[in-house]
Amino acid sequence: MSARPPQSQPTASYEADPAEVHRVLLLYSGGLDTSVMLKWIQDSYDAEVVCLTVNLGQPGEDYEVIEAKARQLGAVECQVVDARERFADDFLAPAIKANAVYGNGYPLFTALGRPLIAQLAVEYARQSGCDTIAHGCTGKGNDQVRIEATVATLAPELRTIAPVRSWQMGREEEIAYAREHGIPIKGGAEVTPYSIDDNLWGRSSEGRWIEDLSHAPDDDVFQLVTRPELAPDEAQVVTIGFEAGLPVTLDGERMGLVDLLEGAAAIGCRHGVGIVDHIEDRIVGLKVRDIYEVPAAALVLTAHEELERLVGTIHQNQFKTGLDQKWGYLVYAGLWWEPLRTDIDAYMDAVNAQVTGEIGLRLYKGGVRVVTRSSPNAVYDADLAGFSQSGGLFSQSASPGFIELWSLQSKMAHMLRQRGSEDGGE
Ligand code: ARG
């Protein structure tokens, strides 16, 4: 086997020295990479492996099967944690308040999930007496940064290993290793699958033809959202109610955040909403293309942003856009634990205290459009604003005076420039 043995000269202080790896907490998904890792770590380090599988609401997982597979491959302990509520309350709620997207519409579901997965790894590693955390990220992505930055920040006493980054096995070699070591491989191993990551807030696909920028999406990549051309011919209007910045009702029915996001995703999926074909600047230097399916975010973020703009003043709205972007970038860049992020959250909470009301969205064949708005806190009142000419706070007769002062500097600069060019022309 051409797998490289563990490197004994770590580059970073948080990387494990192989001689000191005795009990490893492995972030285990049940897929090929982490199953090969489970065997490979036991063999290469002569270490015990404890497996942790985290449920962040990725659809279609059978956790009993994953756990049985881990035990079969020699894990000394297995933990499956349902972290959906914690993910929704501690990570997605602040993301909603920050209208969090990166680039041209990536709502950061992976970037938000990784710090929680790594935080849970730290908690379970400590609980089960592990000295090292192992993850299945490659050396080319952002996820290694998010996970290792979290472990290094929260648990300086723990070390990490990233076998997929260092062992230099390609997919073919991994499959050969799996066959040799009795690791079950599901599906036809002949076709390289897309690289998928998903949770409550969305799903990404990478690899195969997606890397060819001239290749339009093949139909089989859409496993979550109905392709818009197959979506119902009838539009659907859905209302989302918010209290203090968080969605609390869906079509008038009150529910917890996890249920609401699952419900919103189901409606969005049916109408082909939330497909994003994205070229992305990774923090590790590469540009990549991802196909995202983000039905829940497409509904909830559209509604939240609309309501927030309705209750905010022009000054708050302009200022917050910049902070939203900063927040999204910190999270994308793996700096969830950076104090600046929580500083910004304090502002997000202050603004969102007013974000209460209801937004109606019309969904039709891949499109989502705001059609109704209501809020007790809307900085909008036709009577108050005096549009009816009957007086009120807004005085049309004050407008000319305002315009004179508002345009004063522009007018002066214009005059000066004209004079300058006339003088120069003489
Ligand atoms: N490009 C996105 C990001 O960097 C999604 C990454 C998906 N991760 C994965 N292991 N497939 O956040």
Side-chain angles (χ1 to χ4, degrees), residues 13-17 131-134 151 155-161:
S13 58
Y14 63 81
E15 286 185 291
D17 171 350
D131 45 62
T132 303
I133 288 172
V151 175
E157 83 282 9
L158 292 173
R159 295 287 170 266
T160 66
I161 55 174

Side-chain angles (χ1 to χ4, degrees), residues 226-239:
T226 306
R227 284 185 289 125
E229 56 271 34
L230 303 180
D233 293 330
E234 290 296 302
Q236 180 175 352
V237 173
V238 54
T239 58

Side-chain angles (χ1 to χ4, degrees), residues 102 106 108-112 114 136-138 141-143 146 195-198 204-206 278 280 282-283 288-290 292 332:
Y102 177 70
Y106 166 43
L108 295 163
F109 53 89
T110 298
L112 290 158
R114 290 299 184 264
C137 303
T138 69
N142 298 315
D143 291 332
R146 297 164 181 152
S195 160
I196 304 295
D197 188 60
D198 56 356
S204 70
S205 305
E206 293 175 353
H278 201 236
E280 193 165 297
R282 280 190 182 164
I283 42 176
V288 277
R289 181 185 183 197
D290 278 88
Y292 294 125
Y332 183 78

